[in-house]
Amino acid sequence: MKGHTIKNRFALITLIVFVTALATIGASFFILPKSTFSKYEKRKLTTLPVFSVQSFFNGTYLANIDSYFADNFPSRDNFVSTSFYIKEKRGIQSKKIGFYKTVALDAQLPESVDTTFGKADSIPLDSANRGKAETTGGVVIYDGRAMEVFGGNYAMAKAYSSMINKYQEIFQDIATLYVVVVPSSIAFYPPTEYRKVANSEKINIDQIYGLLSPGVKAVNASDEILNHKSEYIYFGTDHHWTGLGAYYAYVAFCKAAAINPISLDAMTYKVKKKYLGSLYYLTRDSRLKENPDSVEYWMVPGNHKTLRYGSITSKGTPATLYAEYASGGNAYGVFLGGDNPLMKIENEIKNGRKCVIVKNSYGNPFATYFTANYETVFIIDYRYYTGSLVDLVKENNINDIIFLNGVFSANT
């Protein structure tokens, strides 16, 4: 009988401790202030969704509620940090090579960037895919460098080229259309024995270019970049290229467009050191932390009147070509100040040339060099822009249209 009493007391104590802990965690969830951005993961956290009958019945409301509670769990960053540490330490460790399973890279905006924009009067550029993550088969880390494993295929290449060809039908008598598909670092740097884990980016890019309509100018950025493989053209901790890598793609464009590129020597060189980028924050691999990157950028001389817009019908607000305040994990934001729906740069050059660059974050450093050759440069981030590309080109007498994408985003 005494044993049963002790057992019952222990069970009661266990229940009280459990209920108290549960109640404390629950109360802290509602009492503690909520963060909107995870500095540890470098991403925006899910906000409390707005209820609607449609979202409730199609399941998105409850799914977003679930994400909201998961993202705002008390001391979440501490749990995430511990999880990354355990994952890295389990299994047989190698100082040279490492693999991580499938990851997704959402374009990260600096916290200062306002992504609310005016209502569009016309069809969005790509309403079906805006904001979707770029996905890969995983990440391979070799000699302190992180590289995404490419998984694109012919069907994806055909879909991208078909989209370009539709625009060519519209613009063929209005403007010249250029396509720049950029390989990632895994196309250049992994040793031969690890190339088998990724599909060939070169083959994929060749497939895209081979399916383009006559009149579309395909820019061979791959060979130009390959000529400078030994230089610092890709980050080791981030999925983007460097300012120098973007420069060589710009040189390739200039060759295709028969214009003279500005030389590196004619620009002002600056650098931000100790940069840890997206692939480090996805993996938290200590080998990457031991090999931080530098964000190098070359500033085109002259005065550049820079405005950003929510849409072409909204009033422009002052922006910057080089956000020199960008630092730390947001240092890549030095290019254009991050991702904006629409930007317009008016330059001192009075040659009547106007272009629009349609890109995602990969195109940010690339776009800055165009201020050396064009009187007016429009920059569209297709993930956030809600206006009509056709209207913008016609209303502003655009000469050249440049679609710039990394090979991963060209395969989504």
Side-chain angles (χ1 to χ4, degrees), residues 139-159:
V139 173
V140 57
I141 295 175
Y142 182 79
D143 266 354
R145 175 191 292 276
M147 295 167 283
E148 296 176 277
V149 178
F150 180 65
N153 56 42
Y154 179 80
M156 295 175 179
K158 186 177 180 181

Side-chain angles (χ1 to χ4, degrees), residues 38 40-41 73-90 100 280-285:
S38 171
Y40 191 88
E41 296 174 283
F73 192 82
S75 299
R76 181 180 179 281
D77 273 358
N78 291 332
F79 286 105
V80 172
S81 174
T82 302
S83 173
F84 273 113
Y85 179 80
I86 292 173
K87 285 179 182 179
E88 184 182 352
K89 296 303 178 185
R90 69 187 179 191
Y100 286 85
Y280 167 71
Y281 286 103
L282 281 169
T283 63
R284 290 287 169 167
D285 193 286

Side-chain angles (χ1 to χ4, degrees), residues 92 171 174 208 336 348 410:
I92 299 173
F171 294 129
I174 301 171
I208 291 174
L336 306 182
E348 294 175 329

Side-chain angles (χ1 to χ4, degrees), residues 352-372:
R353 295 181 66 97
K354 298 179 180 180
C355 72
V356 57
I357 300 170
V358 183
K359 57 80 188 175
N360 60 6
S361 59
Y362 225 83
N364 292 7
F366 176 77
T368 62
Y369 299 113
F370 281 69
T371 59

